């Protein structure tokens, strides 16, 4: 099946710094990528949808200036958490959609800890 | 927003028994449904999917049942194994191609 990777898998940063998370589709072209946030023992919360070459669509309540999303190519999307705070600590997961609209493949997730 | 919920947040089964995980969805126009398995610290893994024009689909040891009349989805795991212990999520796709996830059921298999 299709493979989606994320880097880094874990990151610890200090409050006030920015962190970039990469999401790559390794063996297919992803026209659409999704970014989710997951708190412990909770479900996935969609943050934003990004389409290659256009601006991301953010869900209500998600600050677009804080969570910068770039989808510059069909195989790479990045999420940058700017001026991170401890409350941004979470598990961030991306998924990528293939050529068929109903496909969605998840990355392994990135554990962000802000100290 | 949409509401996709699970009836049982936790489920414990004996190894070798069958497991049934349930999910209720709210949008009768949703046309595609997926079950995911998520192990601790990992991303969700696709298990099985079903389109709204079907009411049953079988995979290897797993079966998904869809009852559109009552907007209910279930995942059946046959001969549950310790490796099946994980959190299971259902997801529905609405006509706008948006996916909504349920809260998850934690399955524990007792050896």
């Amino acid at each position: 099946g299709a493979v989606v990777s994320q880097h880094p898998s874990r990151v610890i940063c200090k409050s006030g710094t920015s962190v970039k998370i990469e999401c790559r589709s390794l063996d297919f072209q992803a026209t659409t990528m999704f970014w989710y946030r997951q708190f412990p023992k909770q479900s996935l919360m969609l943050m934003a949808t990004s389409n290659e070459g256009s601006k991301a669509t953010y869900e209500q309540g998600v600050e677009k200036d804080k969570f910068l999303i770039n989808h510059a190519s069909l195989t790479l999307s990045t999420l940058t958490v700017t001026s991170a705070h401890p409350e941004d600590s979470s598990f961030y997961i991306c998924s990528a959609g293939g050529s068929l609209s109903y496909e969605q493949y998840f990355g392994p997730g990135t554990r962000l800890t802000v100290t | 927003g949409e509401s996709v919920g699970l009836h049982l947040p936790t489920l414990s089964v004996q190894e070798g028994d069958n497991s049934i995980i349930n999910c209720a969805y709210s949008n009768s126009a949703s046309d595609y449904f997926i079950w995911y398995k998520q192990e601790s610290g990992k991303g969700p893994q696709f298990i099985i999917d079903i389109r709204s024009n079907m009411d049953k689909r079988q995979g290897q040891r797993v079966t998904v049942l869809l009852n559109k009349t009552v907007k209910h989805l279930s995942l059946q795991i046959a001969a549950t194994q310790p490796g099946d212990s994980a959190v299971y999520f259902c997801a529905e796709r609405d006509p706008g191609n948006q996916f909504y996830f349920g809260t998850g059921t934690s399955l524990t298999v007792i050896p």
Side-chain angles (χ1 to χ4, degrees):
Chain A
V3 179
V4 175
S5 70
Q6 278 184 245
H7 178 80
S9 57
R10 290 178 178 270
V11 57
I12 300 172
C13 70
K14 292 186 177 181
S15 187
T17 62
S18 296
V19 175
K20 180 185 285 188
I21 303 170
E22 292 185 348
C23 176
R24 293 183 185 271
S25 56
L26 298 185
D27 52 2
F28 68 103
Q29 292 185 327
T31 53
T32 305
M33 287 185 170
F34 304 87
W35 285 96
Y36 296 86
R37 185 173 179 176
Q38 186 178 35
F39 292 103
K41 299 189 186 300
Q42 293 190 22
S43 187
L44 289 78
M45 183 188 76
L46 179 65
M47 298 175 66
T49 303
S50 73
N51 295 298
E52 186 267 337
S54 62
K55 289 184 178 180
T57 302
Y58 290 81
E59 294 299 300
Q60 194 173 8
V62 178
E63 300 174 58
K64 61 181 181 181
D65 294 330
K66 179 169 183 62
F67 298 99
L68 301 178
I69 290 172
N70 183 280
H71 192 164
S73 77
L74 287 171
T75 60
L76 174 64
S77 176
T78 60
L79 168 68
T80 302
V81 183
T82 63
S83 187
H85 289 104
E87 56 266 30
D88 298 326
S89 298
S90 190
F91 194 51
Y92 291 87
I93 305 172
C94 72
S95 70
S99 57
L100 298 176
S101 61
Y102 56 84
E103 297 171 341
Q104 189 173 182
Y105 305 99
F106 284 90
T110 296
R111 173 75 58 194
L112 170 64
T113 303
V114 184
T115 61
Chain B
E2 301 284 352
S3 170
V4 180
L6 295 173
H7 296 306
L8 297 174
T10 60
L11 177 65
S12 294
V13 298
Q14 207 71 37
E15 182 179 356
D17 287 351
N18 297 334
S19 303
I20 299 176
I21 301 172
N22 297 302
C23 177
Y25 63 95
S26 59
N27 188 345
S28 56
S30 290
D31 60 356
Y32 180 63
F33 305 86
I34 308 175
W35 278 102
Y36 289 98
K37 173 185 180 183
Q38 186 177 25
E39 296 174 327
S40 180
K42 297 182 180 179
Q45 278 181 289
F46 173 94
I47 301 174
I48 192 168
D49 60 356
I50 188 168
R51 298 199 196 191
S52 58
N53 61 353
M54 303 170 67
D55 53 21
K56 180 178 180 179
R57 189 155 189 239
Q58 285 184 293
Q60 188 177 16
R61 282 202 306 118
V62 293
T63 301
V64 55
L65 299 177
L66 175 63
N67 185 332
K68 294 182 288 293
T69 303
V70 295
K71 291 184 285 186
H72 185 267
L73 194 67
S74 71
L75 175 70
Q76 300 178 1
I77 304 173
T80 314
Q81 302 169 359
D84 295 328
S85 294
V87 176
Y88 291 82
F89 293 98
C90 67
E92 64 175 303
R93 185 188 68 169
D94 72 7
N97 249 5
Q98 187 88 315
F99 280 89
Y100 297 91
F101 290 85
T103 54
T105 291
S106 177
L107 175 66
T108 301
V109 181
I110 303 166

